[in-house]
Each structure stands twice: as C-alpha cells, then as structure tokens.
C-alpha cells in the first residue's frame, strides 16, 4: 500500500427520524444560519422535508436566511451571491438541504465567507483554505458522496470551466441520511446517481498501487452491491432496503476510507467535467459515457486489473485476459444501458468540434492527466472520439 493519512470528521446520522432533530445539531455551531437548497425549494417542500427542518430550526431558536437557486453543476455566480449574503448578515453556519450540487455550493460559500480574496482562488490553485464557516447536510439524493467528502466542485460560467477544491475544511460537520428520500426521486436522476457512484468506485479501483488486497476487496464488493441494488432501486424505489444499500454505498464510495493506501486515477472525471461544463449534461450521465471509453483506451496499460475487474465485479468466467477484459467493459456499458442511460456522446448531440478545447481544459495547463495511464492532449481527444 501507499503511505496514507486518513481523516474524516463528518458525523453521519443515518435512517429515519433525524429531520425533526436537525435544529439540535445546528445550534452547536450557530444561532444564525443560511438554509441553502436547489431551485425554489419546490422538491423539498413537496416531500415535507422543508417543513420539518424549518419547524426544528424554529424550535431551537435558530434564525435562518434562505438561498435557493442551486442547479446541477453548481454555479460560481450563486456562490458569490451566497458569500455576500453571509458576510452582510453575519451568518455563522450553512445548512445544505439537497444533493451533491447543493452541498458543493454550500462548501464553496462557507470557504469564501471567511476569506478576504476571491473564492475561485481555491478552485484554480492560487490559494488553499485555512478555515471555514461550517456546513451541515440534509441529503436528498444519493449520488455524489459530497455529504462525507473533502471535495467541492463548482462551474465557472464565464470561463466555461468546472473545477474542484479538495480540502480538509470541506468536510461537513454532520450529514443526515434518510433512505426514504429515494422513494420520490425521478427514475432518470436515480440512474445518473447510480452511475456516479459506480464511477467513484472505479476511479479508485483502477490503480497501479501494490499490496492493496483489502481495499481491492472492499471496492469490488461495493461495486457488486451497486450493480445489484442499482437495478433494484429503479425497479422498486419504495423498498427501504434497496434505498439504504445505495445511499450508504454512495457515501462510502467517496469518503476516503475505501481507497486508503492506493493512488486513484480521476482522469475520467476531469474529462467529463469539461463535457458537462460545455453541454450541461448531468454528471452521472456523462460518466456513463466516458468511463467505458476510457477503459477501452487504457486497457492494455494493465490488463491484469481489467480482467480482475471483470472476474470479481461482474463474476465472468472466461480464462483469457483479453477476452474477459473486453466482456467486462461490455457488461459495464450494458449495466448503464439497463439503467436507461446513454453511452455515446452523439446521443446528446455532441460532435467533435470542441474535443481539442475540452482536452486542453481537462489538462488544466499540465502536460498529462491521470495516474493509471498518463494521458496527453491527443490521448484525451482519442478517448472522446471513442465516446462519440
């Protein structure tokens, strides 16, 4: 294994009945907060989550200012608006009610509120955070894993660029995870979520690190759970067990523990970020397109891992490494198709005119991208062509 330091301070409250107690967790941090959510809050109001949260906040005497407007691929402009509100109103904490986009937006606002410069500095590498306002989470869709991770991903509309800030200051103070929210998630969004979870696991699995037998087994078993219950949750979204399996898989896929001691790749995510930045494709839908194309392109780099993936995740039996690796990739594509997702860029009307631009942006000024196989600009363009 690689040397590693594992830290994750986020407190998880998993199961039914925690919405009504959220005020008791928030009051430990501030009596004046921002309540941050997606759009106009219609979804969380329809589900009754908003009412329960507001009632609990008022019960504990917590004053709150609301900021909705979060969209998929959360926007820097809204982050700036949130920072301005927090500074002007002396907000002491942010409660994010939503999925990964809302949580990421809240994290960025939290960092920017206590920073004198431009919060984008943290996303373009000009500065590193050294403090935060603090974020709590009420999760409404299992997908991104941001509820227990150090990451925040924000889209800069002006630059048409999607970038990440990884920092220990991004870990939420607490996250409430109630699997019952899955009952009413639209089927396509849930399918995108399942694809996103699978992609987080695969980014970590395809690694050249040695002596990783324990984390290999943890990743493989979690991927098998996602394959099994990803289909089940779409067939029967009102089954609590289906929901809790997928919700917890989403969280542990991205909280750092399962990948400790190995070097993850992340090139597929960087490539997809440029697709969603330009074409506003839902991230999970984009990963269902890019990851199989990436696997086809890097297969010969370490076919032993590809064949092990096919045998231990999809439980295929062929003995020949080349054949079983190809079949493993085909099974992955079929899984995404069975979820109702597309596996080609052309299905979204994406042609090749921006491939070189996307490759340049994915590189972020570096010569190469990725750790499993170092990708040049030409390599990235070729992967996009395979995905076309």
């Amino acid at each position: 294994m690689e040397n590693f330091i594992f830290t994750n301070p986020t407190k998880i409250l998993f199961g039914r009945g925690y919405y009504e107690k959220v005020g008791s967790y928030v009051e430990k941090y501030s009596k004046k907060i921002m309540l941050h959510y997606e759009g106009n809050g219609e979804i969380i109001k329809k589900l009754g989550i908003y009412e329960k949260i507001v009632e609990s906040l008022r019960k504990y005497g917590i004053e709150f200012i609301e900021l909705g407007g979060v969209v998929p691929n959360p926007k820097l402009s809204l982050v700036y608006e949130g920072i301005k509100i927090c500074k002007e109103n002396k907000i002491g904490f942010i409660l994010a009610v939503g999925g990964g986009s809302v949580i990421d937006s809240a994290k960025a606002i939290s960092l920017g509120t206590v920073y004198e410069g431009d919060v984008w500095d943290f996303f373009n590498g000009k500065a590193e955070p050294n403090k935060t306002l603090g974020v709590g989470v009420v999760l409404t869709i299992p997908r991104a894993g941001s509820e227990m991770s150090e990451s925040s991903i924000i889209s800069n509309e002006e630059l048409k660029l999607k970038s990440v800030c990884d920092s220990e200051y991004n870990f939420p103070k607490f996250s409430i995870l109630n699997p019952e929210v899955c009952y009413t998630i639209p089927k396509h969004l849930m399918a995108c979520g399942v694809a996103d979870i699978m992609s987080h696991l695969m980014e970590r699995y395809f690694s050249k690190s040695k002596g990783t037998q324990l984390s290999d087994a943890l990743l493989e078993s979690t991927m098998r759970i996602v394959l099994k219950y990803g289909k089940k949750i779409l067939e029967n979204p009102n089954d609590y067990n289906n929901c809790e399996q997928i919700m917890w898989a989403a969280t542990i896929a991205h909280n750092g523990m399962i990948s400790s001691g190995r070097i993850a790749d992340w090139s597929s995510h960087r490539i997809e970020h440029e697709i969603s930045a330009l074409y506003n494709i839902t991230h999970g839908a984009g990963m269902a397109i890019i990851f199989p194309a990436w696997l086809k392109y890097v297969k010969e780099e370490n076919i032993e891992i590809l064949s092990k993936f096919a045998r231990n995740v999809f439980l295929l039996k062929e003995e020949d490494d080349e054949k079983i690796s190809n079949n493993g990739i085909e099974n992955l594509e079929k899984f995404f198709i069975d979820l109702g997702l597309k596996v080609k860029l052309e299905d979204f009307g994406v042609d090749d005119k921006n491939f070189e631009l996307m490759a340049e942006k994915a590189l972020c000024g570096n010569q190469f991208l990725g750790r499993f196989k170092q990708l040049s600009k030409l390599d990235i363009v070729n992967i996009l062509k395979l995905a076309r």
Side-chain angles (χ1 to χ4, degrees), residues 140-156:
T140 61
I141 180 171
R143 181 169 59 195
S146 190
E147 65 275 5
M148 201 179 183
S149 86
E150 63 179 5
S151 299
S152 172
I153 302 173
I154 298 297
S155 293
N156 186 319

Side-chain angles (χ1 to χ4, degrees), residues 58-333:
R58 288 172 175 161
K59 176 182 176 181
Y60 286 88
I62 297 166
E63 183 182 349
F64 59 91
I65 294 176
E66 301 182 35
L67 178 63
V70 180
V71 296
N73 305 312
K75 307 301 183 185
L76 181 61
S77 57
L78 187 67
V79 170
Y80 286 149
E81 182 180 345
I83 292 169
K84 183 174 184 290
I85 291 171
C86 286
K87 287 184 174 181
E88 289 178 350
N89 293 276
K90 295 182 171 54
I91 297 296
F93 191 73
I94 302 173
L95 181 62
V97 183
S101 295
V102 175
I103 302 167
D104 285 1
S105 180
K107 289 176 178 179
I109 294 170
S110 182
L111 293 176
T113 299
V114 294
Y115 179 58
E116 292 304 317
D118 184 345
V119 70
W120 188 247
D121 291 346
F122 300 139
F123 292 84
N124 62 19
K126 290 183 178 179
E128 293 185 4
N130 58 19
K131 56 183 175 179
T132 182
L133 200 62
V135 172
V137 172
V138 176
L139 186 67
T140 61
I141 180 171
R143 181 169 59 195
S146 190
E147 65 275 5
M148 201 179 183
S149 86
E150 63 179 5
S151 299
S152 172
I153 302 173
I154 298 297
S155 293
N156 186 319
E157 309 100 299
E158 182 179 341
L159 299 178
K160 295 190 182 303
L161 182 65
K162 193 173 178 180
S163 191
V164 61
C165 168
D166 288 332
S167 169
E168 63 181 291
Y169 295 99
N170 276 334
F171 285 111
K173 301 299 184 183
F174 65 85
S175 290
I176 294 174
L177 281 59
N178 182 353
E180 291 174 319
V181 300
C182 299
Y183 295 171
T184 54
I185 295 172
K187 188 173 182 178
H188 176 69
L189 288 181
M190 180 58 76
C192 290
V194 171
D196 199 6
I197 299 165
M198 194 70 179
S199 75
H200 288 160
L201 295 164
M202 292 189 294
E203 289 282 20
R204 293 163 167 89
Y205 185 74
F206 292 103
S207 169
K208 291 186 175 180
S209 298
K210 304 298 183 182
T212 57
Q213 289 87 347
L214 176 58
S215 60
D216 283 352
L218 291 171
L219 285 161
E220 288 165 356
S221 61
T222 307
M223 284 189 278
R224 290 196 300 270
I225 286 291
V226 175
L227 292 178
K228 178 178 179 178
Y229 288 96
K231 291 181 179 179
K232 282 180 172 289
I233 200 171
L234 294 181
E235 294 165 358
N236 188 358
N238 294 319
D239 183 289
Y240 188 82
N241 184 58
N242 294 344
C243 299
E244 61 185 350
Q245 300 306 317
I246 288 296
M247 180 167 275
W248 190 230
T251 301
I252 66 170
H254 209 37
N255 72 354
M257 181 276 293
I258 204 168
S259 60
S260 294
R262 61 197 302 137
I263 297 174
D265 184 74
W266 294 113
S267 58
S268 295
H269 268 71
R270 282 295 315 135
I271 296 169
E272 195 291 322
H273 286 170
E274 303 316 319
I275 295 171
S276 56
L278 278 178
Y279 297 99
N280 204 30
I281 296 172
T282 301
H283 175 63
M287 292 310 304
I289 296 170
I290 287 300
F291 225 107
W294 178 83
L295 285 172
K296 292 172 187 176
Y297 194 79
V298 305
K299 182 182 66 175
E300 301 303 327
E301 187 72 14
N302 194 324
I303 200 165
E304 181 183 349
I305 297 179
L306 268 291
S307 60
K308 186 173 71 168
F309 172 70
R311 290 187 177 99
N312 295 350
V313 177
F314 286 98
L315 307 180
L316 301 182
K317 301 298 183 183
E318 292 93 339
E319 293 184 7
D320 179 75
D321 282 354
E322 178 79 20
K323 183 178 179 181
I324 201 171
S325 295
N326 290 333
N327 288 341
I329 297 170
E330 289 175 7
N331 273 260
L332 179 65
E333 283 188 314

Side-chain angles (χ1 to χ4, degrees), residues 270 359-368:
R270 282 295 315 135
E360 288 176 6
K361 288 191 173 184
L363 286 167
C364 293
N366 299 308
Q367 188 175 0
F368 296 104

Side-chain angles (χ1 to χ4, degrees), residues 22-40:
V22 66
S24 66
Y25 302 111
V26 170
E27 73 166 351
K28 299 173 184 177
Y29 302 100
S30 180
K31 283 286 192 176
K32 189 172 186 180
I33 72 165
M34 171 178 283
L35 182 60
H36 198 35
Y37 48 76
E38 188 174 24
N40 61 5

